[in-house]
Amino acid sequence: MEYEEPLFFTVMQYADAADRDVVDMVSGNPDWGAPEAISEGLHDYADTGGEQFQYPPSAGLRDLRERIATRRGVETERVIVTNGGGMANTLGMARALERFDGSEVLMADPVYPYYPGKTEMLGGVQRFVPVDDEGRLNPADVRAAASDETACIVVNTPNNPTGAVYREDAMREFVAIAEEHDAMLVSDEVYDHFDFSGAFTSALSFDSANVAVTNSFSKTYAITGFRVGYAVLPERDAPAARTRNMLTNVATSRPAQAAVLHALETTDTSYHEANRERLRERVETFTAALDRAGAEYTTPEGAFYVLARFPDYPGTMANAKRLIDEVGVAGMPGEAFGEARSDWLRFALVSPRVETAAERLASFF
Amino acid sequence: MEYEEPLFFTVMQYADAADRDVVDMVSGNPDWGAPEAISEGLHDYADTGGEQFQYPPSAGLRDLRERIATRRGVETERVIVTNGGGMANTLGMARALERFDGSEVLMADPVYPYYPGKTEMLGGVQRFVPVDDEGRLNPADVRAAASDETACIVVNTPNNPTGAVYREDAMREFVAIAEEHDAMLVSDEVYDHFDFSGAFTSALSFDSANVAVTNSFSKTYAITGFRVGYAVLPERDAPAARTRNMLTNVATSRPAQAAVLHALETTDTSYHEANRERLRERVETFTAALDRAGAEYTTPEGAFYVLARFPDYPGTMANAKRLIDEVGVAGMPGEAFGEARSDWLRFALVSPRVETAAERLASFF
């Protein structure tokens, strides 16, 4: 499997070019709108100019880093504001490969395709651990796959694409496995505001020098285009990661940082609660239709996605395109995420037309 | 010489903490203000929201790429919008090391410190070519240093820190040397709007599959904090560079791209002419004071910087700090840029108080 070119854009372009109405369930772009504070923060920033338009500190605006550090209960020096969660993961994985002897990166199959792509870019070796029937990495399987060759274990909770949310005991095990094998656990927690289970546990809950946590405001505030994320690194790894961030990007875009800072200062929890409630309803609507269609699926505990398998309709790229053309629903082919769920299709619940899509699927299958 | 941590921030922090008035001539932050269109573009963007706040295409907003391509006379597919000139250089240098057999990166001494820092980060080998008395790389010296080991030749025109602007014949030679040795010429042209000589020649003037040009709107529009730059790669290298950009950063911040696009559409050449004229006057004021101080210096043909050597006052970090404390002028120590100009100090002419600084220096020395 080639992960060099994540296929999201390919499928989205195909859907855009289709000669019919298509419900887009491909992208991870929230449709519910950013909090008003994002626009306000941008307007305020646009009125400054001069020095305010110049280089921010390379690791991020001080107030933003401090606010993140307070929220996460870590030292400010461990926080690096990055160009989205993408760069945060790049920093965490690069640091793991740099610090530890091994060159293997362990990750789940099915996998968010950027992880294997980054592994290759950074000169690491991909190693996949298939998830269990509920879409979760079993710590015992991770332990069996780990070895002296392991430099990095990547987990994503809540998970894209399976919707799994790892419990405290599983997270503790992942941390322990990283420590036992002299490796870094990179825990990508960009969907932490979209936990329906109430059981989400950040890897930062465990005091370990082998844990890097990555996050982003892309999903949290429905601003995937702003590119503001962050990495929290172990104290000993933060300086090297700051250097890599500086040498790669110099700094993270300041208008976007200013908008995010304003949103952190003024947005209350009701914004996030409303988004979770909306998603819960969409999960119900969509899975009810999947039941009618005779599909197998995993009910997501978090994030935006439902993985589903239709009878005699494997989740190939060809079948994803056929679904666009014949049914008017665009989903991601399971094969884009690896082997373990290559029969499945992934539907993102980030469209106000989830009900339309559900009806179309129920009547087609 | 360690280039892992470019020293700009160190010196700026020292100047900020000084117990006296200090004229900042360290940073490369323009003080003349962005065109009004930048703020307008941000305000317009802040009023959109929804889909407009979501992922832009990974290689940049289509309209922005097309406008850049038209200006530079290249195919749109060769243009990648990046997180500033920093990421553009990362892409160009990474691609050179990936595509060609050698691992050496040839660059000038004195050097913009990010180039050797990036070389190390990317696993390349630094090789320096000292500039001549006028602060220019002599093509004959570059040819003598080039070999089968050369993967990349980095030039910066107009030059930071020497102020040199390479003439057409020199640029043609650099391109030819890259072709002869199966290497990439990475021509960093971020100061192209600050050419006082009228002789600036882009490496894109030569039709070659061995040329990558990098640029940025940071200096052009006085928005170093926005992080919008671009790389123009050879057709055969553009896909791999797009993949690296996607895997590293996913995309470039969209509010900043929107603001830059609006500025490109509406800002006329008088903005750039006024900036050049202001800088010309500052060069005159400052070099007149250097004459009175008995300093040796290179009159810049472009960019923002003057390299100067004072009698019995080598450009060490200790002496740069002493200048802050005793004279109230902050400049960069020459040793931050390598060996060849380690006796010198670099002064950035991006302060409205150039005259004050000039007087202070003239009376101290």
XYZ file of all heavy atoms in Angstrom, chain A residues 39-92:
408
model
N -13.939 34.601 14.044
C -14.033 35.766 13.161
C -13.672 37.053 13.904
O -12.936 37.900 13.385
C -15.455 35.897 12.598
O -15.704 34.856 11.676
N -14.172 37.175 15.121
C -13.844 38.366 15.931
C -12.340 38.507 16.117
O -11.776 39.591 15.971
C -14.464 38.245 17.331
C -15.945 38.503 17.411
C -16.515 38.082 18.788
O -15.706 37.827 19.736
O -17.742 37.989 18.888
N -11.702 37.389 16.445
C -10.255 37.410 16.677
C -9.497 37.815 15.420
O -8.516 38.562 15.484
N -9.984 37.347 14.266
C -9.331 37.729 12.994
C -9.536 39.216 12.709
O -8.608 39.905 12.275
C -9.914 36.927 11.835
C -9.218 35.640 11.402
C -9.856 35.143 10.110
C -7.712 35.824 11.201
N -10.770 39.681 12.937
C -11.031 41.117 12.722
C -10.143 41.971 13.630
O -9.542 42.944 13.180
C -12.506 41.438 13.001
C -13.430 41.109 11.868
N -13.292 41.652 10.603
C -14.513 40.294 11.797
C -14.258 41.182 9.806
N -15.009 40.346 10.510
N -10.082 41.605 14.903
C -9.237 42.364 15.840
C -7.787 42.380 15.354
O -7.121 43.410 15.377
C -9.284 41.737 17.249
C -10.639 41.921 17.906
O -11.470 42.682 17.374
O -10.874 41.274 18.955
N -7.324 41.210 14.938
C -5.933 41.122 14.487
C -5.706 41.966 13.230
O -4.691 42.660 13.108
C -5.561 39.665 14.213
C -4.139 39.496 13.734
C -3.087 39.539 14.633
C -3.862 39.328 12.380
C -1.774 39.412 14.207
C -2.548 39.201 11.939
C -1.506 39.243 12.859
O -0.212 39.130 12.421
N -6.671 41.910 12.306
C -6.536 42.663 11.045
C -6.408 44.157 11.301
O -5.822 44.887 10.498
C -7.733 42.373 10.135
N -6.944 44.628 12.436
C -6.868 46.058 12.771
C -5.555 46.452 13.425
O -5.347 47.626 13.721
C -8.018 46.430 13.725
C -9.342 46.552 12.985
O -9.313 46.840 11.772
O -10.399 46.344 13.613
N -4.664 45.489 13.680
C -3.410 45.861 14.335
C -2.370 46.301 13.304
O -2.205 47.487 13.063
C -2.859 44.692 15.198
O -2.617 43.560 14.364
C -3.839 44.323 16.310
N -1.685 45.375 12.678
C -0.655 45.738 11.698
C 0.688 45.995 12.355
O 0.879 45.727 13.548
N 1.621 46.533 11.560
C 2.945 46.872 12.085
C 3.639 45.668 12.693
O 3.705 44.602 12.075
N 4.129 45.843 13.916
C 4.868 44.758 14.580
C 4.023 43.513 14.782
O 4.541 42.401 14.824
C 5.398 45.218 15.943
C 6.610 46.113 15.835
C 7.192 46.467 17.203
O 6.927 45.731 18.172
O 7.911 47.480 17.274
N 2.717 43.704 14.952
C 1.833 42.558 15.172
C 1.747 41.664 13.933
O 1.284 40.531 14.016
C 0.424 43.026 15.557
C 0.376 43.776 16.869
C 0.799 42.899 18.035
O 0.347 41.767 18.168
N 1.711 43.404 18.866
N 2.129 42.198 12.780
C 2.110 41.397 11.554
C 3.445 40.672 11.334
O 3.629 39.992 10.334
C 1.806 42.281 10.338
C 0.336 42.602 10.141
C -0.609 42.331 11.124
C -0.116 43.186 8.946
C -1.958 42.622 10.948
C -1.458 43.479 8.754
C -2.385 43.202 9.754
N 4.379 40.857 12.271
C 5.708 40.262 12.070
C 5.849 38.939 12.842
O 4.968 38.558 13.602
C 6.798 41.256 12.467
C 6.643 42.643 11.808
C 6.447 42.588 10.293
O 7.105 41.823 9.599
N 5.517 43.399 9.763
N 6.991 38.267 12.605
C 7.263 36.945 13.193
C 6.741 36.806 14.619
O 7.173 37.548 15.508
C 8.772 36.679 13.271
C 9.480 36.550 11.959
C 10.466 37.459 11.589
C 9.204 35.496 11.093
C 11.162 37.337 10.387
C 9.898 35.362 9.896
C 10.868 36.288 9.540
O 11.551 36.166 8.364
N 5.909 35.822 14.865
C 5.626 35.463 16.257
C 6.803 34.624 16.766
O 7.631 34.181 15.965
C 4.365 34.603 16.134
C 4.501 33.953 14.793
C 5.231 34.947 13.911
N 6.881 34.389 18.075
C 7.915 33.452 18.541
C 7.773 32.130 17.790
O 6.659 31.699 17.470
C 7.585 33.283 20.027
C 6.840 34.527 20.401
C 6.068 34.920 19.175
N 8.907 31.503 17.509
C 8.896 30.301 16.676
C 8.024 29.200 17.267
O 7.343 28.467 16.540
C 10.327 29.803 16.496
O 10.338 28.646 15.705
N 7.997 29.063 18.581
C 7.206 27.994 19.216
C 5.769 28.410 19.496
O 5.012 27.632 20.072
C 7.878 27.555 20.511
N 5.400 29.623 19.064
C 4.015 30.054 19.242
C 3.891 31.293 20.103
O 4.786 31.605 20.898
N 2.785 32.024 19.939
C 2.520 33.197 20.772
C 2.553 32.755 22.239
O 1.951 31.750 22.610
C 1.141 33.782 20.459
C 0.957 34.410 19.077
C -0.504 34.812 18.879
C 1.875 35.621 18.903
N 3.242 33.528 23.056
C 3.426 33.141 24.456
C 2.078 32.897 25.160
O 1.919 31.897 25.866
C 4.218 34.245 25.179
C 4.666 33.863 26.570
C 5.848 32.904 26.514
N 6.006 32.205 27.791
C 6.902 31.260 28.016
N 7.719 30.870 27.051
N 6.984 30.674 29.176
N 1.118 33.816 24.979
C -0.182 33.658 25.653
C -0.887 32.380 25.212
O -1.569 31.734 26.006
C -1.101 34.849 25.342
C -0.660 36.102 26.071
O 0.249 36.011 26.921
O -1.223 37.175 25.782
N -0.738 32.051 23.946
C -1.385 30.837 23.433
C -0.729 29.592 24.033
O -1.413 28.674 24.503
C -1.307 30.826 21.906
C -1.922 29.630 21.184
C -3.388 29.419 21.563
C -1.798 29.818 19.662
N 0.601 29.583 24.055
C 1.306 28.433 24.648
C 0.947 28.274 26.114
O 0.736 27.167 26.601
C 2.823 28.616 24.543
C 3.370 28.407 23.155
C 4.847 28.720 23.132
N 5.669 27.639 23.656
C 6.918 27.779 24.086
N 7.486 28.976 24.078
N 7.601 26.750 24.516
N 0.881 29.398 26.831
C 0.584 29.316 28.267
C -0.824 28.794 28.510
O -1.064 27.997 29.407
C 0.777 30.683 28.926
C 2.251 30.988 29.113
C 2.517 32.374 29.694
O 1.552 33.135 29.908
O 3.705 32.685 29.901
N -1.746 29.254 27.695
C -3.130 28.819 27.870
C -3.252 27.309 27.571
O -3.935 26.578 28.279
C -4.027 29.629 26.928
C -5.473 29.610 27.300
C -6.223 30.704 26.570
N -6.259 31.925 27.332
C -7.212 32.217 28.226
N -8.193 31.370 28.446
N -7.192 33.352 28.881
N -2.569 26.867 26.539
C -2.570 25.430 26.218
C -1.935 24.649 27.363
O -2.465 23.631 27.825
C -1.810 25.170 24.890
C -2.580 25.759 23.705
C -1.567 23.668 24.697
C -1.763 25.859 22.414
N -0.807 25.153 27.854
C -0.087 24.455 28.926
C -0.965 24.336 30.177
O -1.015 23.268 30.809
C 1.210 25.191 29.254
N -1.663 25.399 30.503
C -2.544 25.371 31.674
C -3.649 24.343 31.481
O -3.939 23.544 32.374
C -3.150 26.766 31.914
O -2.074 27.693 32.064
C -4.032 26.786 33.156
N -4.252 24.359 30.299
C -5.320 23.390 30.017
C -4.838 21.961 30.118
O -5.567 21.073 30.539
C -5.844 23.583 28.590
C -6.701 24.797 28.447
C -7.546 24.710 27.167
N -8.543 25.769 27.230
C -9.727 25.736 26.637
N -10.064 24.689 25.908
N -10.574 26.729 26.753
N -3.627 21.722 29.662
C -3.120 20.348 29.629
C -2.326 19.996 30.874
O -1.865 18.862 31.001
C -2.276 20.121 28.368
C -2.938 20.510 27.054
C -4.347 19.921 26.891
N -4.422 18.497 27.036
C -4.638 17.643 26.051
N -4.792 18.086 24.826
N -4.703 16.354 26.286
N -2.141 20.959 31.754
C -1.428 20.683 32.997
C 0.041 20.338 32.795
O 0.585 19.438 33.447
N 0.683 21.038 31.866
C 2.112 20.789 31.609
C 2.886 22.103 31.650
O 2.292 23.195 31.634
C 2.338 20.107 30.229
C 1.624 18.755 30.171
C 1.874 21.018 29.079
N 4.197 22.014 31.687
C 5.042 23.197 31.610
C 4.927 23.829 30.227
O 4.917 23.110 29.228
C 6.510 22.815 31.827
C 6.820 22.216 33.183
C 6.635 23.252 34.272
O 7.228 24.349 34.151
O 5.871 22.976 35.231
N 4.905 25.167 30.197
C 4.791 25.878 28.916
C 5.907 25.491 27.957
O 5.695 25.398 26.744
C 4.820 27.403 29.162
O 3.766 27.719 30.081
C 4.610 28.177 27.876
N 7.089 25.237 28.497
C 8.231 24.925 27.630
C 8.046 23.623 26.845
O 8.738 23.393 25.856
C 9.531 24.861 28.450
C 9.939 26.205 29.023
C 9.926 27.313 27.975
O 10.635 27.163 26.973
O 9.192 28.308 28.148
N 7.134 22.790 27.296
C 6.882 21.524 26.588
C 5.939 21.696 25.399
O 5.762 20.757 24.621
C 6.321 20.482 27.552
C 7.321 20.013 28.609
C 6.693 19.023 29.574
N 6.173 17.843 28.875
C 5.342 16.958 29.417
N 4.923 17.122 30.662
N 4.911 15.921 28.726
N 5.309 22.861 25.290
C 4.292 23.088 24.245
C 4.908 23.785 23.036
O 5.583 24.806 23.183
C 3.136 23.957 24.796
C 2.126 24.273 23.692
C 2.469 23.278 25.988
N 4.670 23.249 21.862
C 5.080 23.910 20.614
C 3.838 24.078 19.754
O 3.157 23.096 19.430
C 6.115 23.076 19.843
C 7.308 22.739 20.733
C 6.571 23.819 18.590
C 8.309 21.804 20.068
N 3.527 25.317 19.409
C 2.409 25.580 18.503
C 2.891 25.308 17.080
O 3.969 25.758 16.694
C 1.900 27.031 18.647
C 0.793 27.328 17.645
C 1.418 27.283 20.077
N 2.100 24.555 16.338
C 2.551 24.075 15.026
C 1.556 24.426 13.918
O 0.417 24.799 14.193
C 2.686 22.543 15.043
O 1.417 21.993 15.415
C 3.749 22.087 16.031
N 2.018 24.253 12.690
C 1.143 24.435 11.539
C 0.167 23.237 11.483
O 0.353 22.294 10.718
C 1.974 24.529 10.266
C 1.140 24.914 9.045
O 0.715 26.062 8.916
N 0.868 23.965 8.170
N -0.827 23.274 12.352
C -1.836 22.216 12.396
C -1.355 20.965 13.107
O -0.183 20.835 13.490
N -2.298 20.036 13.279
C -1.952 18.748 13.872
C -0.956 17.997 12.992
O -0.168 17.189 13.484
N -0.980 18.269 11.700
C -0.057 17.607 10.774
C 1.389 17.835 11.169
O 2.171 16.881 11.317
N 1.756 19.083 11.390
C 3.141 19.379 11.771
C 3.424 18.890 13.187
O 4.557 18.493 13.483
C 3.427 20.870 11.620
C 4.866 21.258 11.902
S 6.067 20.466 10.754
C 7.629 20.985 11.481
N 2.414 18.895 14.048
C 2.625 18.377 15.410
C 3.010 16.902 15.350
O 3.951 16.454 16.025
C 1.362 18.574 16.251
N 2.303 16.128 14.524
C 2.654 14.714 14.368
C 4.026 14.539 13.733
O 4.788 13.635 14.095
C 1.588 13.992 13.537
C 0.330 13.725 14.341
O 0.390 13.441 15.528
N -0.828 13.834 13.697
N 4.340 15.401 12.758
C 5.675 15.342 12.149
C 6.745 15.515 13.222
O 7.730 14.758 13.261
C 5.826 16.426 11.061
O 4.786 16.255 10.089
C 7.176 16.343 10.367
N 6.551 16.487 14.108
C 7.552 16.724 15.159
C 7.658 15.543 16.112
O 8.766 15.124 16.472
C 7.194 17.984 15.964
C 7.282 19.322 15.259
C 6.985 20.450 16.248
C 8.650 19.538 14.614
N 6.521 14.998 16.538
C 6.543 13.887 17.483
C 7.204 12.651 16.892
O 8.064 12.016 17.519
